[in-house]
């Protein structure tokens, strides 16, 4: 297989960025195909930390990065990220980054709407308040602005008027101040000269890559359980996070995607609201959070922690087309007396082996847990499967058996080479 799609298999924050970075060594191109700067990917290279949100993770290795049409692009956030990378010695130029001309723009009004809508909800969704959802709403409502509009100032102003007419009607109707036009328009026109050199036909570059036999990594943001169709609705993101989204969000035939690598921690985390059946309240959850550094890359929000839910993971693999797993953060479980896996659910007194579709039923689920012996030794930095403590190896085997998908690799630390490779994703 010449291509690999990297998909978050839980609720996000699984460590996709470092997996993409590792794959990028053997790849020619890395493509972002969904989401926006509401997702953060952290890379640790030789002790230096790189925090990315919109830039494809391959830019740290100097590989060509593409931002697909399925991404919601905040131009202000992108330019700030490019500047941060420059301060760390990574120059992002049009030679190493191209943006799809049809990608949707995230505007200041979208951030204001995101905050206003969240305030008005009786039960907040826990969004990142970055404006991603409202931007996608405008895209589907056919009033959104796209990257290509930055090249036509007169048309840009006209489209902005249409967009603001719609949103300001809602703001006035809810007793809020309308959003001003001029600061937003002048800001976009000021940023356009820096953004436009990066704009190109991403679909064409991917077609050329396919015909010339180049290796491509498709980098997904968020995860299956945050997918707009397959996640724990309504506590989801606003884009398609599964492998099928890579085809529509980048402009490539589904038959050309290649392998699908699902990334999952060996435990589970979730940010924000929504059901989390295997969540650990109290001291044990706090230990996982502290040892795993479970705080949002962009927001700093503490993540909810729990045992790995193999029912959820198995279902994610099926709907997302995942045929290999990358299991991350094994070293975080070092020293635990025992480790548990959620291997089933109890719903209203009956055992089930799937995640129900309704939020009400998901909230009523009780986990069926299976205990595994922990290990006293350290797995940090281990790079050979045979060097793992027997109990750690047994846990990896149990996860593969429960989920029914083989593990391609297991990470044992934050550095890019702290990994055990079992089945290389690139054949």
């Amino acid at each position: 297989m010449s291509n690999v799609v990297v998909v978050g298999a839980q609720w996000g924050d699984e460590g996709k960025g470092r997996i993409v970075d590792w794959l990028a060594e053997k790849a020619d191109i890395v493509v972002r195909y969904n989401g926006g700067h509401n997702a953060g990917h952290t890379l640790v290279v030789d002790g230096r930390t790189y925090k990315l949100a919109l830039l494809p993770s391959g830019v740290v290795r100097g590989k060509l990065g593409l931002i697909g049409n399925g991404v919601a692009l905040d131009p202000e956030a992108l330019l700030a990220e490019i500047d941060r990378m420059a301060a760390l010695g990574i120059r992002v130029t049009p030679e190493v980054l191209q943006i799809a001309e049809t990608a949707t723009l995230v505007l200041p009004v979208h951030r204001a709407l995101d905050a206003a809508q969240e305030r008005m909800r009786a039960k907040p969704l826990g969004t990142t308040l970055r404006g991603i959802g409202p931007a996608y709403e405008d895209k589907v409502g056919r009033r959104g602005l796209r990257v290509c509009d930055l090249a036509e100032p007169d048309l840009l102003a006209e489209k902005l008027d249409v967009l603001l007419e719609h949103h300001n009607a809602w703001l006035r109707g809810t007793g809020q101040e309308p959003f001003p036009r001029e600061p937003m328009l002048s800001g976009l026109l000021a940023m356009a000269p820096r953004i436009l050199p990066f704009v190109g036909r991403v679909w064409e570059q991917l077609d050329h890559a396919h015909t010339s036999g180049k290796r491509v990594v498709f980098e997904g943001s968020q995860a299956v359980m945050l997918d707009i169709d397959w996640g724990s609705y309504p506590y989801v993101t606003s884009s398609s996070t599964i492998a099928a989204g890579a085809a529509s969000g980048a402009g490539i035939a589904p038959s050309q995607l290649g392998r699908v690598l699902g990334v999952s921690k060996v435990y589970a985390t979730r940010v924000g609201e929504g059901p989390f059946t295997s969540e650990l309240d109290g001291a044990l959850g706090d230990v996982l959070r502290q040892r795993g550094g479970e705080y949002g890359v962009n927001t700093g929000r503490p993540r909810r922690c729990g045992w790995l839910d193999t029912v959820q993971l198995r279902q994610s693999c099926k709907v997302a087309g995942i045929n290999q797993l990358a299991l991350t953060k094994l070293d975080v479980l070092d020293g635990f007396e025992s480790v548990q896996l959620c291997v089933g659910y109890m719903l209203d007194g009956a055992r089930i082996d799937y995640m129900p579709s309704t939020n009400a039923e998901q909230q009523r689920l009780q986990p069926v847990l299976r205990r595994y012996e922990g290990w006293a030794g350290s797995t940090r930095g281990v790079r050979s499967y045979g060097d793992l403590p027997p109990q750690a190896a047994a846990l990896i085997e149990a996860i593969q058996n429960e989920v029914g998908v083989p593990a391609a690799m297991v990470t044992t630390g934050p550095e890019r080479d702290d990994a055990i490779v079992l089945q290389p994703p690139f054949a």
Side-chain angles (χ1 to χ4, degrees), residues 72-365:
L73 185 94
D74 185 321
E76 186 177 349
L78 176 66
L79 293 176
E81 190 172 335
I82 289 173
D83 291 341
R84 288 197 302 273
M85 288 297 105
L88 292 170
I90 305 293
R91 291 187 68 247
V92 179
T93 66
E95 286 69 40
V96 296
L97 176 69
Q98 288 285 289
I99 304 168
E101 53 197 351
T102 54
T104 294
L105 289 175
V106 179
L107 307 174
V109 67
H110 294 134
R111 295 194 292 270
L113 289 165
D114 204 350
Q117 291 168 1
E118 190 76 344
R119 284 194 306 268
M120 294 179 68
R121 290 187 177 103
K123 294 182 178 180
L125 298 178
T127 78
T128 60
L129 306 180
R130 301 298 172 95
I132 309 302
Y136 278 124
E137 286 183 45
D138 279 344
K139 176 181 180 177
V140 176
R142 293 169 290 185
R143 58 182 169 268
L145 273 62
R146 304 190 296 176
V147 172
C148 56
D149 294 328
L150 295 174
E152 301 185 66
D154 292 340
L155 181 61
L156 180 73
E158 290 178 16
K159 287 190 170 186
L160 193 58
D161 286 339
V162 172
L163 184 146
L164 283 176
E165 182 179 7
H166 173 84
H167 291 305
N168 281 337
W170 181 83
L171 288 168
R172 292 189 189 95
T174 54
Q176 301 177 72
E177 289 293 320
F179 202 87
R181 172 188 190 263
E182 291 309 316
M184 187 161 54
L185 178 59
S186 60
L188 288 171
L189 294 176
M191 289 184 288
R194 286 193 66 188
I195 295 291
L196 289 172
F198 293 97
V199 178
R201 293 183 294 277
V202 165
W203 65 268
E204 191 173 59
Q205 295 196 52
L206 289 173
D207 181 66
H208 176 71
H210 174 68
T211 58
S212 58
K214 292 185 177 180
R215 287 177 165 178
V216 181
V217 176
F218 296 88
E219 178 180 14
S221 65
Q222 287 92 30
V224 179
M225 294 311 299
L226 298 176
D227 184 88
I228 188 67
D229 290 302
W230 299 106
S232 50
Y233 193 89
Y235 303 99
V236 293
T237 192
S238 301
S239 62
S240 175
T241 64
I242 63 175
S248 60
I252 190 172
S255 60
Q256 297 173 11
L257 289 177
R259 282 201 175 96
V260 182
L261 181 65
V263 186
S264 169
K265 292 172 183 168
V266 292
Y267 53 98
T269 63
R270 179 166 193 167
V271 173
E273 303 300 321
F276 185 2
T277 306
S278 62
E279 183 172 10
L280 288 167
D281 294 320
L284 197 51
D286 292 339
V287 170
L288 275 175
R289 183 178 305 108
Q290 294 300 323
R291 294 189 60 180
E294 299 298 350
Y295 298 89
V297 175
N298 288 321
T299 64
R301 291 189 297 179
R303 298 171 185 147
R304 300 154 63 191
C305 297
W307 296 123
L308 178 64
D309 185 339
T310 63
V311 182
Q312 171 270 312
L313 186 55
R314 182 170 60 246
Q315 188 163 321
S316 288
C317 289
K318 292 181 184 299
V319 301
I322 293 168
N323 45 37
Q324 284 186 317
L325 290 173
L327 299 173
T328 63
K329 291 196 169 185
L330 180 65
D331 56 302
V332 172
L333 298 182
D334 289 351
F336 278 76
E337 182 178 338
S338 64
V339 176
Q340 298 193 70
L341 299 178
C342 175
V343 296
Y345 303 137
M346 297 301 296
L347 176 63
D348 302 333
R351 179 163 174 166
I352 61 173
D353 61 357
Y354 63 91
M355 181 167 285
S357 58
T358 72
N359 181 62
E361 287 183 315
Q362 289 178 19
Q363 296 283 10
R364 297 202 303 275
L365 294 176

